[in-house]
């Protein structure tokens, strides 16, 4: 459902993405890994055009979204995103955070949105925190609300940019387990992560980025047992 | 030796006190309108339309860079000349104070907006929330919280500056004290009363602001 065609991205004269192509079919869980600064976040953010590629095409459901007249807001409702820093709206309760977009963007009735919100809060195990404001939540809880918020738009895919990197170690697990469950429901997920154990266990496929190139595109099993490239080998030796 | 003679102005006290609602109405109405005007200016400043950014910036610098008294006199006397509309003292006062405080409030609001962390913008984008709704429902409520203390300061400034209205004949506290003064040939006492009234009003506002701040902190 997501297709990237020769994506380039430069900041000034610093070329961060150097022509990346690939398909992410419906229902796939893809992990993007690689050294710091290799362009993982930039690539991920190109998928919902938080970064506008300098060249190349992004297709979602066979529609090129970075060319011509496209209602980008509508596209973005199809692709949710979860951020490292949660980015919750602190003046709204968990439930309000979750239902705001369904209510105001999708224009669901309050009743429907509320029911939806409660369902997804339950799914991430936070029914009892529906009326709590984000500043009073732990990091792990915040991230789970953020996941519920993305889910409530009922997107076709969700992008995760290092969802556990800002968390204390003891909270990483609760977030990963929510994500694991999500993966089992058949949600298309693109996850930038440093959690190699998680990637190995949950991802169907791995993209290994290095210096703006997609160096390796392998099944998870292949990548972690016998990677093709020397660079991936070196990377794995360093992080595992 | 200063000899204070409050007895002679005692009968005029109610007359001076009637200036309180006048002063408060100039302050309150201008602050209210000025807030919305300031919000509009802020939207122009932080928005993506170049011309509006520039216009709002120019506007702010003019109103902050010239004396309020001059603005007031100009609006009061120039409006009839330019438009043929016979502007009343009250209208001229409200208009001037609104336009002026809007310029200051806009700066406060912009500061309050900048204090909201940028990640929320990306979250809103990723949810497909339109820019205007994002500003109205997500940024503005947080910004207002951030700027409440400076808004109170703004209202205190405005309360004191509203005394300028007496220059063009507005019957506020100061003007009334002045009238009493010239009728009785007594200057110190009525002006002292006026000063005390302003001081009390400012203190009430300050106290209210502290309570509010405390409440915001706990909630
Ligand atoms: N908005 C920006 N302006 C300028 N340079 C940027 C910007 N965003 C990213 N970069 C640069 O692009 C390069 C790739 O950044 P990116 O965030 O995509 O890397 P990453 O692989 O996600 O790294 P990390 O693992 O540290 O998050 C870096 O050198 C970074 O400094
Ligand atoms: Mg990154």
């Amino acid at each position: 459902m997501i297709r990237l065609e020769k994506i380039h991205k430069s900041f000034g004269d610093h070329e961060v993405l150097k022509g990346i192509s690939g398909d992410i079919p419906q229902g796939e869980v893809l992990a993007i890994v690689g050294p710091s600064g290799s362009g993982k976040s930039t690539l991920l953010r190109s998928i919902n055009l938080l970064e506008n590629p300098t060249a190349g095409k992004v297709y979602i459901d066979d529609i090129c979204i970075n060319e011509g007249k496209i209602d980008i807001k509508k596209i973005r409702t199809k692709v949710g995103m979860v951020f490292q820093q949660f980015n919750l709206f602190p003046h709204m309760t968990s439930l309000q955070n979750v239902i705001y977009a369904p209510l105001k963007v999708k224009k669901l009735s309050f009743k429907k949105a509320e029911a939806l919100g409660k369902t997804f809060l339950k799914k991430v195990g936070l029914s009892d925190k529906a009326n709590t404001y984000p500043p009073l939540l732990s990091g792990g809880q915040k991230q789970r609300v953020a996941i519920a918020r993305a889910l409530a738009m009922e997107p076709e895919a969700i992008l995760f940019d290092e969802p556990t990197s800002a968390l204390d170690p003891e909270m990483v697990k609760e977030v990963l387990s929510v994500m694991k469950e999500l993966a089992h429901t058949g949600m298309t997920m693109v996850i930038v992560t440093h959690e190699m154990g998680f990637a190995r266990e949950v991802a169907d496929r791995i993209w290994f980025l290095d210096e703006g190139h997609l160096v390796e595109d392998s099944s998870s099993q292949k990548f972690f047992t016998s990677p093709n490239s020397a660079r991936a080998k070196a990377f794995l030796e360093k992080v595992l | 030796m200063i000899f204070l003679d409050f007895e002679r102005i005692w009968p005029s006290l109610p007359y001076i006190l009637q200036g309180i609602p006048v002063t408060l109405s100039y302050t309150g109405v201008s602050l209210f309108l000025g807030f919305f005007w300031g919000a509009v200016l802020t939207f122009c400043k932080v928005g993506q339309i170049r011309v509006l950014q520039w216009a709002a910036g120019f506007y702010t610098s003019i109103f902050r860079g010239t004396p309020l008294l001059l603005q007031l006199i100009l609006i009061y006397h120039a409006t009839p000349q330019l438009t043929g509309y016979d502007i009343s003292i009250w209208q001229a006062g409200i208009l001037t104070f609104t336009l002026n405080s809007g310029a200051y409030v806009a700066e406060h609001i912009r500061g309050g907006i900048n204090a909201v962390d940028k990640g929320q913008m990306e979250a809103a984008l990723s949810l497909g929330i339109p820019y205007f709704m994002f500003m109205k429902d997500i940024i503005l409520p947080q910004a207002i919280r951030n700027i409440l203390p400076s808004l109170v300061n703004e209202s205190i400034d405005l309360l004191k500056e509203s005394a300028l209205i007496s220059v063009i004949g507005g019957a506020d506290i100061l003007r009334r004290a002045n009238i009493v003064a010239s009728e009785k040939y007594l200057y110190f006492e009525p002006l002292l009363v006026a000063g005390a009234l302003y001081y009390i009003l400012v203190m009430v506002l300050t106290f209210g602001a502290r309570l509010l701040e405390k409440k915001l902190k706990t909630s």
Side-chain angles (χ1 to χ4, degrees):
Chain A
M1 66 157 301
I2 299 170
R3 191 160 88 248
L4 304 176
E5 249 180 45
K6 304 200 180 80
I7 301 292
H8 289 260
K9 174 70 185 180
S10 303
F11 295 106
D13 44 11
H14 178 195
E15 190 170 39
V16 174
L17 299 178
K18 299 168 183 164
I20 291 188
S21 303
D23 275 296
I24 307 164
Q26 184 83 47
E28 182 168 84
V29 177
L30 171 73
I32 303 178
V33 304
S36 180
S38 55
K40 305 181 296 293
S41 298
T42 308
L43 180 63
L44 190 74
R45 293 157 55 83
S46 298
I47 296 175
N48 64 352
L49 298 193
L50 283 184
E51 301 289 359
N52 229 322
T54 334
K57 290 179 181 171
V58 181
Y59 292 87
I60 295 197
D61 293 338
D62 289 324
I63 300 168
C64 176
I65 62 166
N66 63 331
E67 221 182 41
K69 274 203 165 193
I70 285 285
D71 184 1
I72 182 63
K73 283 188 205 92
K74 206 158 162 194
I75 301 292
R76 284 188 177 131
T77 62
K78 290 194 197 178
V79 182
M81 184 152 191
V82 172
F83 302 86
Q84 183 174 349
Q85 298 297 337
F86 328 125
N87 296 346
L88 294 176
F89 309 130
H91 62 303
M92 298 183 185
T93 63
S94 305
L95 186 64
Q96 287 167 343
N97 263 281
V98 174
I99 68 176
Y100 180 84
L103 210 55
K104 296 294 175 76
V105 179
K106 277 192 161 176
K107 309 223 184 306
L108 297 189
S109 71
F110 182 79
K111 241 182 163 171
K112 259 192 188 155
E114 195 187 26
L116 197 74
K118 286 187 170 160
T119 310
F120 286 113
L121 278 179
K122 192 168 171 194
K123 216 171 214 166
V124 299
L126 288 174
S127 292
D128 56 327
K129 298 289 182 193
N131 298 317
T132 307
Y133 287 89
L136 300 176
L137 297 173
S138 74
Q141 291 169 335
K142 278 182 202 163
Q143 196 58 300
R144 285 187 281 149
V145 172
I147 293 173
R149 178 174 69 176
L151 284 173
M153 287 300 273
E154 305 193 290
E156 295 172 21
I158 301 189
L159 315 174
F160 295 81
D161 194 356
E162 302 199 25
T164 57
S165 294
L167 299 178
D168 294 335
E170 70 270 20
M171 289 167 189
V172 169
K173 223 174 132 196
E174 66 190 54
V175 170
L176 291 183
S177 83
V178 164
M179 290 172 62
K180 212 180 296 176
E181 236 167 78
L182 195 57
H184 292 319
T185 65
M187 173 66 75
T188 310
M189 296 163 80
V190 185
I191 309 165
V192 171
T193 185
H194 288 299
E195 298 281 341
M196 291 305 142
F198 173 75
R200 183 175 198 160
E201 184 186 351
V202 176
D204 303 310
R205 206 146 58 105
I206 307 287
W207 283 6
F208 172 69
L209 255 60
D210 196 19
E211 291 175 2
H213 293 285
L214 177 51
V215 174
E216 186 149 347
D217 174 357
S218 313
S219 75
S220 165
Q221 208 224 342
K222 168 114 180 60
F223 181 79
F224 285 103
T225 50
S226 55
N228 292 324
S229 63
R231 276 196 273 181
K233 241 175 233 151
F235 172 76
L236 282 174
E237 267 163 28
K238 227 157 86 191
V239 297
L240 288 182
Chain B
M1 164 104 195
I2 301 168
F3 204 84
L4 292 181
D5 188 358
F6 280 103
E7 229 152 82
R8 272 181 57 207
I9 68 152
W10 184 249
S12 306
L13 191 62
Y15 177 71
I16 298 181
L17 289 180
Q18 278 163 27
I20 295 180
V22 178
T23 290
L24 286 180
S25 76
Y26 278 111
T27 310
V29 174
S30 307
L31 193 74
F32 182 77
L33 296 176
F35 177 75
F36 285 102
W37 179 227
V40 170
L41 287 172
T42 313
F43 273 101
C44 294
K45 282 185 183 179
V46 302
Q48 287 128 341
I49 303 168
R50 273 283 157 79
V51 185
L52 290 183
Q53 277 177 8
W54 181 85
F58 183 66
Y59 174 93
T60 311
S61 80
I62 292 291
F63 272 88
R64 294 179 56 161
T66 57
L68 179 56
L69 181 56
L70 179 119
Q71 295 162 18
L72 179 64
I73 295 173
L74 199 64
I75 284 177
Y76 184 56
H77 292 297
T79 304
Q81 188 191 332
L82 289 180
T83 65
Y85 177 72
D86 190 16
I87 195 168
S88 71
I89 294 172
W90 199 79
Q91 288 167 337
I94 294 293
L95 185 61
T96 311
F97 296 148
T98 297
L99 293 179
N100 183 275
S101 71
Y104 285 89
V105 169
E107 286 302 295
H108 294 313
I109 300 182
R110 188 164 66 157
I113 286 177
N114 288 340
V116 178
D117 101 83
K118 293 288 166 287
Q120 292 181 45
M121 174 80 187
E122 298 198 334
L125 284 177
S126 77
L127 290 163
I129 299 170
Y131 180 75
F132 176 75
M133 284 211 253
F134 168 67
M135 273 295 166
K136 178 170 82 63
D137 292 339
I138 293 164
I139 294 298
L140 211 53
Q142 295 181 67
I144 287 174
R145 229 162 207 271
N146 294 342
I147 65 170
L148 261 180
S150 49
L151 277 188
V152 174
N153 284 333
E154 184 60 34
S155 72
I156 289 173
D157 284 348
L158 197 56
L159 182 90
K160 290 184 290 184
E161 284 169 348
S162 76
L164 289 175
I165 200 69
S166 62
V167 173
I168 60 168
D172 70 337
I173 299 174
L174 180 60
R175 168 88 177 160
R176 284 161 188 265
N178 250 329
I179 289 174
V180 172
S182 53
E183 274 174 359
K184 311 255 164 149
Y185 301 104
L186 269 181
Y187 283 90
F188 196 68
E189 293 82 349
L191 290 175
L192 202 64
V193 171
L197 289 179
Y198 281 110
Y199 184 71
I200 291 168
L201 290 177
V202 168
M203 283 303 116
V204 169
L205 270 178
T206 312
F207 182 71
R210 288 225 186 99
L211 275 186
L212 195 73
E213 240 177 289
K214 235 186 222 162
K215 210 168 159 201
L216 279 181
K217 246 181 212 149
T218 51
S219 75

